[in-house]
């Protein structure tokens, strides 16, 4: 596709740039090209450079992974400096350099964002989350996995201003305790997906409050939450009829006695029932699955 666009500049084929930019080229042609190819296209001519700048200013989705394994700080700032219509922002490959200085201007001028991915962006601060909460009232999906700078105060700001949230990933946000999670779910009752994985501070209080406040919950990740016990899993089964998947691997205080209720409803669990687990281990040892009369 890039080759075709470049060849179309030749006189024998006419000029692609003669087509209406905002009505044809931007919404119907450039949107089908990978971002990395569009950036290369800028080097064809000054006219193409202006066209790509127009496209970038009207881009609805920015995913840093489309550019390559790493995107330079200056390039990121230049790409989004004129954009005020972003709806999706994914910056999972920018952890080495992304700070509040680069992110806050983008957040501040894009009030239509409904999906933000900041997984592993360790150099940001709580001010980034406060800025998101104040600038993005329609936010529905937010990933803050492995962002240990997230604290209870910034999460409260998010809960107060982004009540349309449907999916939040707080994996390994180790500053957060039960009280912060409870405040979030009390304010954001539309949550369908929540990850609290790898957080030793999260226990039954947070899980029970999530169950009672979020009846639409479909996916919950509690992997490695060592303080979660059977009682909260039973509450989850009682209050969340739409639950489709639950992850409790490495939750050593959660037993089959509580999981069996969800298992019988067809909820996808990441731990096998005790008998099946034993059979798998036995098969690994002896090389075959024995015949067992389960009616005995």
């Amino acid at each position: 596709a890039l080759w075709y666009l470049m060849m179309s500049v030749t006189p024998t084929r006419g000029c692609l740039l003669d087509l209406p930019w905002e009505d044809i080229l931007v919404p119907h042609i450039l949107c089908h090209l990978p971002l990395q190819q569009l950036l290369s296209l800028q080097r064809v001519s000054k006219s193409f450079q202006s066209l790509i700048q127009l496209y970038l200013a009207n881009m609805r989705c920015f995913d840093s992974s489309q550019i390559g394994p790493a995107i330079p700080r200056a390039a990121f700032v230049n790409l989004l400096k004129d954009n005020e219509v972003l709806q999706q922002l994914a910056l999972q490959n920018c952890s080495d350099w992304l700070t509040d200085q680069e992110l806050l201007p983008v957040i501040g001028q894009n009030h239509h964002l409904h999906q933000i991915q900041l997984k592993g962006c360790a150099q940001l601060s709580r001010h980034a989350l406060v800025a998101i909460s104040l600038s993005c009232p329609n936010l529905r999906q937010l990933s803050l996995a492995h962002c240990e700078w997230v604290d209870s105060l910034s999460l409260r700001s998010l809960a107060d201003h982004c009540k349309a949230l449907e999916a939040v990933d707080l994996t390994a946000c180790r500053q957060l305790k039960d009280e912060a999670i409870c405040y979030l779910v009390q304010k954001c009752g539309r949550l369908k997906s929540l990850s609290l994985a790898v957080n030793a501070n999260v226990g039954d209080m947070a899980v029970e409050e999530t169950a009672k406040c979020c009846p639409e919950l479909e996916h919950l990740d509690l992997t490695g939450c060592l303080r979660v016990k059977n009682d909260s899993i039973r509450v989850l089964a009682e209050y969340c009829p739409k639950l489709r998947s639950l992850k409790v691997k490495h939750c050593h205080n959660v037993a089959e006695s509580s999981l069996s209720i969800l298992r019988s409803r067809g909820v996808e669990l990441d731990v096998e029932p005790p008998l099946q687990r034993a059979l798998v281990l036995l098969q690994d040892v002896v090389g075959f699955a024995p015949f067992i009369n389960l009616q005995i």
Side-chain angles (χ1 to χ4, degrees):
L2 179 59
W3 176 85
Y4 172 79
L5 288 174
M6 295 177 67
M7 290 297 294
S8 66
V9 183
T10 62
T12 59
R13 294 175 176 263
C15 185
L16 180 74
L17 296 177
D18 290 339
L19 294 173
W21 288 15
E22 295 189 34
D23 295 332
I24 301 296
L25 294 183
V26 170
H28 297 294
I29 296 180
L30 297 188
C31 63
H32 296 292
L33 292 178
L35 185 58
Q36 190 170 22
Q37 290 188 2
L38 288 174
L39 298 182
S40 299
L41 194 59
Q42 290 186 104
R43 297 193 291 267
V44 173
S45 68
K46 289 185 178 180
S47 295
F48 267 104
Q49 183 179 19
S50 299
L51 173 61
I52 300 307
Q53 289 175 347
L54 176 65
Y55 172 82
L56 294 173
N58 290 275
M59 188 167 47
R60 299 295 197 272
C61 175
F62 180 83
D63 186 345
S64 60
S65 65
Q66 292 186 6
I67 299 178
I71 172 175
R73 175 190 285 109
F76 170 77
V77 173
N78 185 61
L79 287 175
L80 296 180
K81 61 183 176 62
D82 298 322
N83 193 302
E84 298 181 358
V85 295
L86 274 180
Q87 297 180 2
Q88 301 178 39
L89 179 63
L91 300 175
Q92 62 270 27
N93 290 341
C94 306
S95 57
D96 291 340
W97 56 264
L98 185 67
T99 68
D100 292 354
Q101 182 177 353
E102 292 80 31
L103 181 63
L104 264 58
V106 176
I107 297 298
Q109 67 192 31
N110 283 281
H111 304 290
H112 304 288
L113 280 164
H114 59 74
Q115 183 175 334
I116 299 177
Q117 162 68 265
L118 297 175
K119 180 179 179 180
C121 292
Q123 297 191 51
L124 298 174
S125 77
R126 59 182 304 272
H127 300 294
L129 186 53
V130 172
I132 289 172
S133 65
L134 296 177
S135 298
C136 309
N138 299 315
L139 191 64
R140 296 199 301 270
Q141 299 180 32
L142 176 62
S143 175
L144 299 168
H146 302 281
C147 293
E148 297 195 20
W149 45 266
V150 177
D151 60 11
S152 58
L153 289 178
S154 57
L155 193 70
R156 287 175 71 93
S157 178
L158 179 73
D160 285 335
H161 297 94
C162 299
K163 298 180 181 179
L165 280 167
E166 296 180 356
V168 179
D169 189 346
L170 298 173
T171 298
C173 292
R174 295 186 175 91
Q175 288 196 57
L176 301 178
K177 299 181 179 180
D178 280 348
E179 292 77 12
I181 304 302
C182 289
Y183 192 87
L184 173 69
V185 298
Q186 287 167 1
K187 296 287 186 175
C188 302
R190 301 181 187 178
L191 281 177
K192 296 181 179 180
S193 177
L194 177 63
S195 176
L196 304 174
V198 199
N199 192 333
N201 294 317
V202 170
D204 286 342
M205 181 190 299
V207 177
E208 291 181 13
E209 195 67 16
T210 298
K212 294 175 181 179
C213 295
C214 303
E216 303 295 317
L217 192 68
E218 297 179 2
H219 307 282
L220 179 61
D221 190 346
L222 301 174
T223 303
C225 293
L226 303 178
R227 295 177 56 235
V228 173
K229 301 182 179 65
N230 285 322
D231 289 344
S232 61
I233 301 301
R234 293 190 181 97
V235 173
L236 192 67
E238 179 181 357
Y239 284 88
C240 296
K242 297 183 179 181
L243 193 67
R244 295 167 53 192
S245 70
L246 173 65
K247 295 183 178 181
V248 288
K249 188 173 289 186
H250 307 304
C251 295
H252 303 304
N253 294 313
V254 175
E256 183 63 23
S257 58
S258 60
L259 294 176
S260 60
I261 306 171
L262 295 169
R263 201 184 299 279
S264 66
R265 281 174 22 195
V267 175
E268 180 183 345
L269 303 173
D270 64 341
V271 293
E272 301 291 348
L275 178 59
Q276 185 172 349
R277 191 182 312 127
L279 290 176
V280 171
L281 291 175
L282 184 59
Q283 183 176 1
D284 290 340
V285 173
V286 302
F288 66 93
F291 293 100
I292 297 178
N293 188 349
L294 298 179
Q295 295 179 348
I296 296 176

